[in-house]
Amino acid sequence: SGSSAADITCFASYKWPVSTPSLLTDASDRMDAGTTQKYWIDVQLRWGDYDSHDIERYTRSKFLDYTTDSMSLYPSPTGVIVGVDLAYNMYSAYGNWVPGMKPLMQQAMAKIMKASPALYVIRERIRKALQLFSSEPTESYLNSTNYAELFSHQTCWFVDDTNVYRVTVQKTFEGNLTCFPVEDHQLLTEFGFWSLGQVQAHFQRHATLKMACYVDGVLEYHPITADDVTVDEGTHDLVEMSGSTGMSPEDTGDVSLMPTANHRMLLRVGATVDEKMSLPLPPFEVHTAGSVLDRGIGDASTAAQFIARFAGGAATAECADPLPFVDVLGLQTDDE
C-alpha cells in the first residue's frame, strides 16, 4: 500500500537521544539526530518473490517513503520499520534507534523468527491461498531395482526442480514437532508420560496439550492442538537390524533396531571382508531401512554403520556420570 501507521508506540518520561536512520545490522550508530519522547514501530509482512526478496532494501525504501508522504500516520518523526519476508523467512529493520532498542530488537526478532507459531500459521495460510505446495512425484524414486531403466532405449527426462519452490519452512518448536510413536510408545506431556490414547482423549475435552522437548540441555514444553496429531493406522513392514557394535560385549552388547521399512537413517552401507567394511569406505548417506535390507539380500556381507553423537557425554563403564537428560525426564530404570 501507499501509506502505513505505527503498530507500537513507546512513550518516555524523559527524552531519548535518537540516531540517524540505519539498518538493524549496522553496528556504528551515533545518537546525534536529536531527542524524542515518542518512538514507534511499524511491522511490515510481505511475501517476496524470486526476483525481489532483498528484505533490507525493502524496509529501507518503505521507511523513506512512509516517513516523507502525507498519508502515513506516525505519532512522531522517529521510529523504525520492521520487515518480515514470510516466503524466504528473512527479516530486517530500518529507521531511527534509541539507546538499547537495536540489541533488544535483534534478540526479539531472532526469537520470534525461530519460535513464533503465528508466523508459521500465516505463512501456511498464504501458501495454501497461492496454491504453493509440493505434490508427491508420480514416478517412483530411483532405487536398486529400477536404475537399469536409465540405460534403456527409452527417453528419460531429468527435471531439476530446485528452484520451483524455494521456500523452506522455519523449523519452529511449536510448528514442527514431529515423532512417530507406535501404539505402546509413550510421549512425555505436561502431565507425565502418556500413550496415544490418552493424548486423543485429552483433546476431546481440551484444545491444546503441551509436549516435552529436550532442546540444548533444557526440557521445554510446547503446545500442540488436535490438528497436529496424525494417526496412521495402516500396516507397516518392519526391518530387524541387529549385529555387533564392534566393541567388547561387556561394554555395550549388540545393536538391535526394528524400524519401519520406509524409516530414513544416516548410514554408511557397504560390503565387508573379515567383518570389516571394504575400502574405500562408502560415505555416510541417507538410506531407508528397506533399501538396506535389499542390499543385504543381494550381498550377505553387507553391513551398515551408524553415527551416534552425545553432546553432553554418555554413561559408560569408564564414566559414572548419567546421561544429562536422565534427571530432567525423571528416568529411573535402565529400560526407561
Side-chain angles (χ1 to χ4, degrees), residues 242-249 254 268 270-279 281-282 299-305:
S242 61
S244 173
T245 61
M247 302 174 67
S248 58
D254 290 336
R268 171 184 282 159
T272 60
V273 177
D274 295 332
E275 298 185 355
K276 293 184 178 180
M277 194 163 288
S278 302
L279 298 176
L281 294 176
D299 183 357
S301 71
T302 299
Q305 289 184 348

Side-chain angles (χ1 to χ4, degrees), residues 4-13 16 36-43 72-82 98 101 104-105:
S4 187
D7 295 303
I8 301 173
T9 303
C10 304
F11 298 88
S13 57
W16 282 315
T36 185
Q37 288 183 287
K38 291 183 180 180
Y39 185 83
W40 52 263
I41 300 174
D42 183 7
V43 180
S72 298
L73 301 176
Y74 291 132
S76 71
T78 53
V80 63
I81 288 183
V82 180
V98 296
M101 179 57 69
L104 175 63
M105 183 72 71

Side-chain angles (χ1 to χ4, degrees), residues 208-287:
T208 62
L209 174 65
K210 291 184 178 181
M211 307 298 294
C213 206
Y214 192 76
V215 181
D216 294 334
V218 179
L219 185 65
E220 301 177 350
Y221 288 86
H222 302 283
I224 64 170
T225 66
D227 294 336
D228 298 320
V229 179
T230 302
V231 179
D232 183 0
E233 297 181 349
T235 59
H236 300 277
D237 295 328
L238 299 177
V239 178
E240 183 177 2
M241 309 178 74
S242 61
S244 173
T245 61
M247 302 174 67
S248 58
E250 60 268 24
D251 286 339
T252 62
D254 290 336
V255 172
S256 178
L257 302 173
M258 190 174 288
T260 56
N262 60 351
H263 186 72
R264 301 169 72 245
M265 297 171 286
L266 184 65
L267 304 172
R268 171 184 282 159
V269 180
T272 60
V273 177
D274 295 332
E275 298 185 355
K276 293 184 178 180
M277 194 163 288
S278 302
L279 298 176
L281 294 176
F284 279 95
E285 297 175 323
V286 175
H287 298 268

Side-chain angles (χ1 to χ4, degrees), residues 27 29 36 46 58 75 150 154 167 194 203 244 255 277 280 299:
D29 287 330
T36 185
R46 75 184 302 256
Y58 174 86
L150 296 176
Q154 298 177 346
V167 181
W194 276 10
F203 283 126
S244 173
V255 172
M277 194 163 288
D299 183 357

Side-chain angles (χ1 to χ4, degrees), residues 30-66:
R30 294 192 304 174
M31 303 295 174
D32 56 0
T35 59
T36 185
Q37 288 183 287
K38 291 183 180 180
Y39 185 83
W40 52 263
I41 300 174
D42 183 7
V43 180
Q44 299 276 326
L45 302 180
R46 75 184 302 256
W47 189 270
D49 56 43
Y50 184 85
D51 298 318
S52 175
H53 61 272
D54 187 343
I55 191 63
E56 292 187 346
R57 184 171 59 183
Y58 174 86
T59 53
R60 183 178 184 276
S61 65
K62 289 301 181 183
F63 179 86
L64 297 177
D65 290 342
Y66 292 159

